[in-house]
Amino acid sequence: MARVGVFVCHCGLNIASTVDIEKVVAYARGLPDVVVAEHNLYSCSEEGLSSIRKSIEKNKLDRVVVAACTPRTHEPLFRKTCELAGVNKYLFEFVNIREHCAWIHIKEPLSATDKAEKLIAMGVAKARLLEPQKETESSVIPTAVVIGGGLTGLTAAASLAAQGIDTHLIEREEKLGGVLGDVEVISPEFSKSGDLIGQLVKELKGSRHAKVHLGAKVVAVSGFIGNFEVTVEGKGKQEKIPAGAIILATGAQEFMPKGEYGFKEMPEVVTQLELERRLASGNVPRRAVFIQCVGSRQPGREYCSRICCNASLKNALRIVRTRPDSRVSIIHRDIMSYGTASERLYREASDRGVVFLRYGLERIPKVVRKKDGVVVEVYDETIDEMVDLDTDLVVLATPMVSREDARDLGKLLKVPLDKYGFFLEAHVKLRPVEFATDGVFIAGSARWPSSVTECMGQGLAAAAKASIPIRRGKVVVEAITASADPDRCAACGNCVIACPYEAIEIVEEHGKRYAKVNETKCKGCGTCVAACPNDAMQQRGFTSQQLSSMIDALIKSTEEET
Amino acid sequence: MAEFSPTILAFCCNWCSYAGADLAGVSRLQMPPNIHIIRVMCSASVKPEYVLKAISGGVDGVLVLGCHIGDCHYMTGNHRTAKRMPLVQKVLKEVGIDEKRLRLDWVSASEGEKFQKVVTDFVDEVKQLGPNPMRGVKW
Ligand SMILES: Cc1cc2nc3c(=O)[nH]c(=O)nc-3n(C[C@H](O)[C@H](O)[C@H](O)COP(=O)(O)OP(=O)(O)OC[C@H]3O[C@@H](n4cnc5c(N)ncnc54)[C@H](O)[C@@H]3O)c2cc1C
Ligand code: FES
């Protein structure tokens, strides 16, 4: 008989504010073979893990069920805890009561609690039938692919190449640098982007480990960690690149206003990026008004784009530093000059006479054409009065938005995006540069609008993460492969046809013909299992017995309820 | 009488639809609490027997969710799901169970909102169908 332990996580208030944890734990105690049920404030914390470990040892558990968040991010952590406590990691079962329960039934605590109980009953039912497994290893192609040749992609690729890892950088434009191609000076240090990009490009060009593909598009991606194949198309030809890991660094783009504030109608109204181009060519306006948060922090696009306040401060300073006769105002909703260096820029701007005015969404500023130029009419909250600002240039600080084709790329790589179209990492704190899909990494503004320093940090982090499987040369393959029971198998060959990997053949051993699965070719999809008419084919960790027991548990717990 | 609250079983493939369900959660998209997910690696591994077992045991509806055609993590796995599930529906109809109690749909890893919509629609539909006539039948 199995000895099952159930550990229910509060996840702070994330789960506990909706699901009645105590009740669920009490319910779990009554499930078959459950010898102990406990709860933890944060099961994944150091403290939570060590208490689970102690409980496994103390209660001599041989099956462990954690009811918490999603196996897609946290399974490895709990499996490791099992191993440390001497329990094979395949004797662990994850029940998702956060993403699939607490978070989506916030207003129905009673039903959510019932549902959590049922999910746990199903998890325990499967856990009782789990079997220990041994893992195999597969080799890793020692090559990395970086998609996107902006600052982030360049940083990642240069780092990988410097480590001696063959790296392909795929950029769809004809030049490298991304957004920074139009941004000459970088705040807060006022360093030159040309120097930064130039240095990285030089490193790549000089490395025998780096290959840059310009004007190239990723059209297909197949495979798994260690064994991807990235198909790149460009200049009329197609190339298939085998790779062990993939880094996504496709950045973001500037939001183009849709006629707000007279954009497109009045030549005096430009975006921040246009101002960057003008300043770079020495075209410095005397009078300028910056309007912040144009198209962001409002219904439909609620987020703060994080870099626009600093960009406006930088450009306001570039104007007032070069032209003592200048008059610059920044109309904002809150100045987000995060970081000490940027705060210093804000101080300097104030000292040099840049005027800061605050507006609210209920009374947004107006740009009006007058005979001798344009006027920005703004209601100043502080003095409770309308203020007219005559100006030569109106700069709209618009947010960075996701690339138009980000969703297509997400589909190719099978990675998720958030509702604004930015790529979604596996976990914002625990796995910030990884996707939940192993072997695919994310960095830079493709993930969220990020400053130059942040993009470089993330680029390096992603490169470091991607180099781990490549350096090891091996990845552990999950023990979820299929195999047929020779005694049940009738050698009908249905599975042979069904397998997408040609991993199965009919063999004859000891006078018996049966379907034999090639372990290294099997990817663990389970297609053959459903094709088998005799229930002879089983997938490890997903046997028909295990899944049927989950269905039975659902039926039983529903019956008990009514 | 309290409103009929169906019990629904869902099979989600690890790579797309389960991730889509996770995304719905992360995005706090609210939906009816009737759905209970079993994670499988690919929608193609869902045996017809599971569906029949669930329905004959009184589960009011079964949802099978995979990656969009062309996106299956195992290349062509979901092509099989797409062929198999309509057959299972036929069998259900044959034995006098409304085939709408089984639904097949595709949800990608980035479609949290689609997951919410599919679940909400399906729960509504099963509510319309009423309790599974097999509920409480002793074999
Ligand atoms: C106006 C403005 C001013 C700024 N000023 C500052 C500043 O002063 N200080 C600061 O710290 N930060 C600043 N930033 C932010 C910073 O410049 C960016 O966040 C950073 O450069 C982003 O780098 P990235 O490599 O992540 O993305 P990007 O620069 O966007 O690069 C992505 C690259 O990927 C390519 N690509 C996209 N899709 C594909 C695809 N499917 N296949 C192949 N290639 C693809 C693109 O062509 C591009 O070259 C500013 C941003 C803006 C818009
Ligand atoms: S992996 Fe999603 S349907 Fe095959």
Side-chain angles (χ1 to χ4, degrees):
Chain A
M1 235 173 53
R3 294 180 64 81
V4 185
V6 178
F7 302 91
V8 184
C9 183
H10 290 239
C11 194
L13 283 177
N14 280 303
I15 297 172
S17 62
T18 307
V19 172
D20 182 343
I21 305 280
E22 306 261 345
K23 181 163 182 284
V24 169
V25 170
Y27 173 84
R29 285 199 186 107
L31 292 168
D33 288 352
V34 171
V35 288
V36 57
E38 296 171 358
H39 51 109
N40 303 96
L41 189 55
Y42 287 101
S43 301
C44 62
S45 67
E46 201 65 53
E47 205 187 317
L49 294 172
S50 84
S51 111
I52 293 176
R53 187 176 158 184
K54 280 192 199 120
S55 180
I56 297 174
E57 286 162 355
K58 186 173 135 223
N59 298 298
K60 300 199 170 48
L61 302 179
D62 57 14
R63 301 288 187 286
V64 178
V65 175
V66 169
C69 48
T70 170
R72 288 176 52 86
T73 56
H74 282 61
E75 190 172 61
L77 198 64
F78 292 117
R79 280 184 160 181
K80 190 148 181 215
T81 303
C82 290
E83 278 185 324
L84 289 173
V87 173
N88 182 282
K89 69 187 206 189
Y90 288 90
L91 299 175
F92 168 77
E93 179 64 17
F94 213 125
V95 179
N96 186 336
I97 57 166
R98 191 179 73 176
E99 280 82 347
H100 296 185
C101 188
W103 276 352
I104 56 172
H105 314 308
I106 292 173
K107 297 211 178 77
E108 297 166 272
L110 291 180
S111 315
T113 303
D114 279 353
K115 171 168 165 178
E117 290 178 354
K118 290 196 183 111
L119 292 174
I120 290 172
M122 292 162 74
V124 168
K126 182 176 176 192
R128 294 169 70 203
L129 300 173
L130 288 174
E131 285 157 14
Q133 305 291 351
K134 248 184 88 181
E135 287 172 331
T136 51
E137 286 175 338
S138 88
S139 62
V140 173
I141 298 165
T143 303
V145 165
V146 178
I147 308 173
L151 174 66
T152 309
L154 284 168
T155 307
S159 159
L160 287 163
Q163 295 178 53
I165 293 171
D166 288 341
T167 305
H168 292 260
L169 180 63
I170 321 290
E171 167 58 54
R172 68 169 167 208
E173 303 292 331
E174 287 303 330
K175 67 178 191 14
L176 297 167
V179 168
L180 283 187
D182 285 326
V183 178
E184 185 198 16
V185 173
I186 305 169
S187 71
E189 287 88 9
F190 289 76
S191 50
K192 288 273 200 271
S193 69
D195 296 345
L196 183 61
I197 298 294
Q199 176 61 31
L200 288 166
V201 172
K202 206 173 109 192
E203 279 174 35
L204 282 181
K205 295 245 158 95
S207 165
R208 64 195 165 84
H209 293 293
K211 180 160 185 227
V212 177
H213 304 248
L214 290 177
K217 233 176 87 189
V218 174
V219 291
V221 180
S222 64
F224 297 76
I225 180 171
N227 282 284
F228 290 107
E229 185 179 80
V230 182
T231 310
V232 175
E233 216 172 63
K235 314 221 163 79
K237 60 178 201 273
Q238 233 191 32
E239 188 179 342
K240 290 190 191 308
I241 306 171
I246 301 172
I247 296 178
L248 203 153
T250 47
Q253 59 197 46
E254 184 183 48
F255 171 68
M256 279 294 155
K258 308 244 157 31
E260 292 102 317
Y261 302 103
F263 182 72
K264 282 204 174 121
E265 287 155 37
M266 301 184 212
E268 293 90 346
V269 182
V270 300
T271 64
Q272 187 86 263
L273 211 48
E274 173 58 23
L275 174 67
E276 296 274 3
R277 286 182 209 112
R278 289 187 187 189
L279 293 177
S281 62
N283 179 355
V284 184
R286 188 175 76 80
R287 298 177 303 176
V289 174
F290 292 82
I291 305 179
Q292 299 303 115
C293 300
V294 175
S296 62
R297 297 177 68 208
Q298 62 188 40
R301 202 178 292 106
E302 289 79 5
Y303 65 89
C304 162
S305 171
R306 302 180 74 245
I307 50 120
C308 341
C309 280
N310 284 338
S312 290
L313 286 173
K314 168 188 74 177
N315 289 334
L317 279 173
R318 286 165 85 190
I319 298 170
V320 295
R321 281 182 191 171
T322 35
R323 292 189 69 158
D325 62 338
S326 60
R327 269 188 36 210
V328 177
S329 313
I330 298 182
I331 310 178
H332 63 93
R333 285 175 55 203
D334 301 294
I335 287 288
M336 294 288 175
S337 56
Y338 65 99
T340 33
S342 301
E343 182 67 19
R344 245 176 252 130
L345 298 187
Y346 173 67
R347 297 259 174 95
E348 186 190 336
S350 300
D351 291 346
R352 285 183 185 263
V354 173
V355 176
F356 290 88
L357 297 175
R358 188 156 186 268
Y359 77 99
L361 267 189
E362 25 339 299
R363 288 178 87 166
I364 59 169
K366 259 201 205 106
V367 181
V368 185
R369 163 150 320 278
K370 290 271 163 74
K371 273 196 291 317
D372 48 348
V374 287
V375 178
V376 181
E377 299 175 356
V378 50
Y379 165 73
D380 182 0
E381 284 185 346
T382 332
I383 55 170
D384 188 19
E385 245 173 63
M386 291 302 293
V387 179
D388 286 357
L389 303 165
D390 295 301
T391 186
D392 304 321
L393 198 68
V394 178
V395 182
L396 305 182
T398 60
M400 295 183 86
V401 292
S402 61
R403 299 252 174 220
E404 274 148 20
D405 60 343
R407 284 205 189 272
D408 300 334
L409 196 59
K411 274 194 159 181
L412 285 183
L413 288 156
K414 296 192 193 65
V415 294
L417 294 88
D418 68 12
K419 70 170 172 175
Y420 303 113
F422 288 103
F423 288 98
L424 197 66
E425 68 280 8
H427 191 285
V428 65
K429 290 172 197 152
L430 300 177
R431 293 169 70 190
V433 295
E434 289 162 77
F435 283 111
T437 304
D438 287 337
V440 191
F441 304 87
I442 169 75
S445 282
R447 193 184 74 97
W448 202 238
S450 304
S451 72
V452 161
T453 335
E454 290 162 343
C455 285
M456 294 179 76
Q458 291 172 24
L460 290 174
K465 280 280 181 191
S467 71
I468 295 173
I470 293 177
R471 290 233 153 276
R472 285 202 179 132
K474 276 183 197 141
V475 281
V476 175
V477 184
E478 249 204 295
I480 51 171
T481 48
S483 61
D485 174 355
D487 292 335
R488 279 183 164 239
C489 179
C492 69
N494 273 356
C495 54
V496 179
I497 303 166
C499 177
Y501 300 96
E502 296 176 15
I504 313 177
E505 54 181 349
I506 304 290
V507 297
E508 188 163 341
E509 273 172 22
H510 315 297
K512 166 101 184 97
R513 275 162 56 77
Y514 76 102
K516 189 168 184 174
V517 179
N518 179 332
E519 287 269 315
T520 46
K521 281 191 179 172
C522 175
K523 302 288 177 234
C525 61
T527 304
C528 55
V529 175
C532 178
N534 281 355
D535 211 23
M537 191 61 88
Q538 296 292 352
Q539 183 182 8
R540 293 194 275 171
F542 297 90
T543 65
S544 54
Q545 254 200 336
Q546 289 162 357
L547 299 196
S548 299
S549 75
M550 294 178 88
I551 301 170
D552 282 332
L554 177 64
I555 295 169
K556 184 156 176 279
S557 54
T558 307
E559 278 171 358
E560 281 167 3
E561 213 177 42
T562 47
Chain B
M1 205 184 94
E3 197 200 358
F4 163 56
S5 175
T7 299
I8 289 170
L9 176 66
F11 290 95
C12 289
C13 74
N14 182 61
W15 303 100
C16 289
S17 47
Y18 194 93
D22 278 357
L23 181 59
V26 172
S27 319
R28 310 293 198 277
L29 302 177
Q30 301 302 300
M31 61 195 90
N34 308 68
I35 199 120
H36 306 81
I37 295 178
I38 292 185
R39 183 173 68 104
V40 291
M41 293 314 285
C42 177
S43 66
S45 70
V46 177
K47 288 172 88 104
E49 289 88 331
Y50 299 155
V51 179
L52 301 177
K53 181 180 181 60
I55 300 277
S56 57
V59 170
D60 300 297
V62 178
L63 194 54
V64 176
L65 299 177
C67 313
H68 286 271
I69 293 292
D71 291 350
C72 173
H73 199 67
Y74 305 99
M75 306 188 294
T76 53
N78 56 6
H79 290 238
R80 285 185 183 271
T81 322
K83 287 191 205 143
R84 199 174 276 144
M85 290 308 143
L87 285 178
V88 183
Q89 283 176 324
K90 264 196 184 155
V91 173
L92 289 178
K93 204 172 161 187
E94 204 70 7
V95 299
I97 302 277
D98 197 315
E99 74 273 19
K100 290 203 282 293
R101 292 195 187 271
L102 167 62
R103 187 185 285 193
L104 169 66
D105 214 326
W106 317 120
V107 174
S108 82
S110 54
E111 291 177 331
E113 285 174 21
K114 167 133 191 227
F115 179 80
Q116 176 193 37
K117 189 175 175 326
V118 171
V119 167
T120 312
D121 286 358
F122 188 56
V123 171
D124 275 351
E125 179 160 279
V126 177
K127 273 189 186 164
Q128 299 269 315
L129 292 174
N132 180 351
M134 306 299 283
R135 259 197 193 213
V137 172
K138 292 281 170 262
W139 293 87

